[in-house]
Amino acid sequence: MTSEQLIIFRKAFKIATSGFINLPKVVSLEKITEIEFYSEGMRGGHKVRFFVKKNELEEFYIDLFGSDDYSSFHKRIEKDGNIIELNNYKGQFGRTIYPDDPEKTESEHLEIQKHNSELHKELIEKGLERDFENPAFERNNVIKN
């Protein structure tokens, strides 16, 4: 990766993480990197996992998944620094309740659960969510900063 590409990624990464986390000085092209940052008063802190790969055109990109005490995000940073919002968890800020239609309430809640379950599996497969059932993957493929 060129130094120019790294500069683009550093700027976009800071924006993608709402200014809380910087791209490390050394970026692995083979492993997933996990960063945790706690500011005063935070319970869960700011966390992000990311990897750098090449697409079918041999262009570098970064996929990242992060969270803080209040929400999560799933994004891709393209070679030009463009940030794309990827599929993310639903229902993070509450779920709609329809007092006059409990069946609709239940149906929407089940749809959200299904979506979140499928996304969780996808994020584990990508290595962007911790796989508690596979500690060997964590030991062999994740750099913790």
Side-chain angles (χ1 to χ4, degrees):
M1 179 181 322
T2 67
S3 59
E4 292 82 14
Q5 180 69 76
L6 200 51
I7 290 169
I8 291 168
F9 279 156
R10 286 190 190 291
K11 182 177 179 183
F13 194 88
K14 183 86 171 179
I15 293 167
T17 61
S18 300
F20 291 106
I21 301 175
N22 292 317
L23 198 62
K25 290 184 182 191
V26 176
V27 177
S28 174
L29 301 179
E30 286 105 32
K31 295 193 176 193
I32 295 157
T33 302
E34 177 179 287
I35 302 170
E36 291 186 57
F37 164 74
Y38 293 86
S39 58
E40 190 173 324
M42 291 194 81
R43 296 181 316 274
H46 298 280
K47 299 174 188 173
V48 68
R49 271 192 181 203
F50 70 91
F51 59 75
V52 180
K53 290 195 176 179
K54 286 185 178 181
N55 63 19
E56 60 280 348
L57 301 174
E58 294 294 307
E59 299 167 333
F60 286 106
Y61 69 94
I62 298 176
D63 269 11
L64 60 145
F65 178 76
S67 62
D68 58 28
D69 282 348
Y70 307 104
S71 63
S72 66
F73 57 86
H74 183 203
K75 300 177 182 181
R76 174 168 292 158
I77 302 171
E78 297 180 317
K79 72 171 185 133
D80 61 359
N82 187 37
I83 301 167
I84 299 171
E85 298 284 336
L86 300 176
N87 204 9
N88 197 16
Y89 290 113
K90 292 182 179 180
Q92 295 184 80
F93 303 106
R95 299 178 182 183
T96 304
I97 296 174
Y98 303 94
D100 297 333
D101 195 346
E103 289 178 12
K104 183 175 182 179
T105 299
E106 180 67 16
S107 173
E108 283 189 13
H109 288 194
L110 290 174
E111 186 178 314
I112 289 170
Q113 287 174 335
K114 181 178 185 255
H115 168 84
N116 288 350
S117 178
E118 290 170 358
L119 176 62
H120 186 71
K121 288 177 190 172
E122 175 190 334
L123 291 171
I124 286 174
E125 288 173 9
K126 288 170 86 172
L128 295 177
E129 277 272 39
R130 187 170 180 191
D131 186 354
F132 289 99
E133 295 178 13
N134 188 356
F137 177 86
E138 294 292 313
R139 277 192 310 275
N140 298 325
N141 297 291
V142 179
I143 300 167
K144 300 201 182 221
N145 283 339

